Amino acid sequence: MIIIESAGRFGNQLFQYAGVVSFSKARERVYLVGFHELSRYFGNAVNGKIRRLSLRNFHLLSRLPRKIMGLLMFGEVLLGNDGRSLLRKRGILPVFVWRAGYCQNEELIDGTAILKLNESRPKLEMEPDKEVAQGQNRPRCFVHVRRGDYLRFPAESSPVVPLLWFRAQIVEIQRVFGSIEFLFFSDDDVWAKQHFSANPDFVFFSGTAEESFAAMAECQAGILSASTFSWWAAYLAAKTGADGPFIAPLHWMGWRSRTWYPRNIESQFLSYAPVSDGSPSDH
C-alpha cells in the first residue's frame, strides 16, 4: 500500500498521480489524500487500484509514532539521488508514505494513466466565448502566459518568461502553419491583453482553470510558460494526435542560469527555444 498526499497545484498533482501509478506494483493499492484540483477536472475517474483516503483518517495515521525502537513504522517512497529513480525504504508495516516529491521527470511517470483519465472524465459543460467559437476550421496554438505567483520570485531567479520570447515563438508558429489562430491563456489577463491585443488572430480565453486546460489540450500547437499546467496540456495534445510544435523555454524554470530546473524536466515531446532576458518593461 502507498499513501500519497497531494502537493502543489493541478499540474504538480498530475505528475504525482502519474508517478505513483508508474511506481506502484501491479496489485498494490494506492490511497490518494487531497488531490482536489485533479478531482475537479477528472471527476471520480481514477486508475483501478486507486482509492481515496480522507484527510481526517490520514491525520489519524500521522499521529502514530513514526519510529518504534529506532525502526520506521511506515515505509517511505523516496526520490533517488540521481533524480531519475524511485526507491522504497521499508518499515515495520507494509505501508509506504510517498516522500518522493513531484516526479517532474518524463522517465518516472506513467503518462498513459493521465490519458486514460482524460478519456473517461466527464465532459465540461463549457460554452466558449463567441470569439473562441469562431474560426474553428483553422488550426489553433495556445499561448500560456504565467505570471501571478512567479512575479514574487527574486528578480535574479524569476521564471517569468519575457514578452520578446513569446513574440519570437509566435513568429515561428506562423512560419510553420501560415494561417493559425492563437488562443491566449494567462493568470494576468490585463497584462496579456495590453501586450498582445493588436492582432485579429489573437483570441483571449476567459473561463475557469478546468475550461482553460481542456481548451489548451485541444490545440494543434502550443507556446508554453515554464509551468506544469501547460506541460500537461501540451502532453495530452501531443499524445492525442496534435503535430505541434509545442515550444517551451530552454532550461525551463532555470532559463536565467541556463541550468535545467527542476533537473530532469527536459521532455522529448517538447521543442525548446533559448530565452534572453528582456528589458524591465518586457516583464
Side-chain angles (χ1 to χ4, degrees):
M1 176 194 303
I2 298 176
I3 300 174
I4 177 170
E5 184 181 15
S6 64
R9 292 158 61 180
F10 182 60
N12 286 326
Q13 290 179 22
L14 287 175
F15 270 110
Q16 286 182 297
Y17 182 95
V20 74
V21 171
S22 176
F23 178 75
S24 56
K25 297 176 182 178
R27 296 185 179 182
E28 186 172 32
R29 289 285 178 85
V30 175
Y31 286 86
L32 304 181
V33 181
F35 288 88
H36 300 302
E37 292 197 16
L38 186 146
S39 298
R40 278 199 295 271
Y41 186 77
F42 293 110
N44 292 322
V46 291
N47 182 282
K49 62 185 176 182
I50 301 289
R51 299 291 184 271
R52 296 189 184 276
L53 183 67
S54 71
L55 191 60
R56 178 177 179 275
N57 287 337
F58 178 67
H59 284 164
L60 288 175
L61 287 174
S62 301
R63 291 175 186 172
L64 294 174
R66 187 168 180 180
K67 289 186 177 182
I68 295 180
M69 298 181 65
L71 299 175
L72 286 172
M73 172 73 80
F74 301 115
E76 297 176 334
V77 178
L78 305 169
L79 184 65
N81 291 332
D82 61 356
R84 296 181 178 275
S85 60
L86 296 168
L87 53 91
R88 292 175 189 256
K89 186 175 182 180
R90 298 192 176 275
I92 297 172
L93 299 177
V95 178
F96 294 85
V97 178
W98 186 272
R99 304 194 190 282
Y102 295 136
C103 286
Q104 292 179 8
N105 181 345
E106 202 173 4
E107 298 176 3
L108 295 179
I109 64 170
D110 180 358
T112 60
I114 305 303
L115 289 169
K116 289 177 181 177
L117 285 185
N118 197 54
E119 290 170 0
S120 59
R121 70 175 173 84
K123 297 299 181 183
L124 295 175
E125 296 296 328
M126 179 174 62
E127 184 175 345
D129 296 340
K130 291 181 180 180
E131 296 86 358
V132 174
Q134 294 172 354
Q136 291 189 2
N137 59 325
R138 288 199 296 165
R140 284 175 167 169
C141 174
F142 74 73
V143 183
H144 182 229
V145 182
R146 179 168 174 178
R147 291 167 57 78
D149 57 328
Y150 279 8
L151 293 171
R152 296 193 289 272
F153 279 61
E156 63 274 11
S157 61
S158 173
V160 174
V161 180
L163 172 64
L164 292 178
W165 183 86
F166 284 105
R167 287 179 171 167
Q169 307 326 308
I170 288 170
V171 171
E172 174 61 18
I173 293 292
Q174 288 172 325
R175 184 190 67 78
V176 172
F177 281 90
S179 178
I180 188 168
E181 186 173 63
F182 292 91
L183 292 186
F184 284 79
F185 303 82
S186 180
D187 54 3
D188 191 344
D189 289 337
V190 173
W191 186 93
K193 290 177 180 179
Q194 178 184 352
H195 290 86
F196 292 105
S197 59
N199 192 312
D201 292 332
F202 293 174
V203 177
F204 296 87
F205 190 92
S206 59
T208 65
E210 293 81 10
E211 291 168 345
S212 296
F213 187 79
M216 289 166 65
E218 292 176 357
C219 289
Q220 288 71 51
I223 300 171
L224 290 70
S225 288
S227 166
T228 55
F229 188 85
S230 51
W231 191 99
W232 277 107
Y235 183 91
L236 289 178
K239 298 301 181 180
T240 54
D243 291 332
F246 295 92
I247 307 174
L250 183 64
H251 301 120
W252 203 242
M253 293 179 71
W255 62 265
R256 291 180 185 274
S257 62
R258 294 177 173 80
T259 304
W260 285 102
Y261 185 79
R263 64 173 179 164
N264 305 321
I265 187 68
E266 184 178 5
S267 306
Q268 294 298 314
F269 71 97
L270 294 177
S271 300
Y272 292 97
V275 185
S276 297
D277 196 2
S279 65
S281 63
D282 289 337
H283 294 283

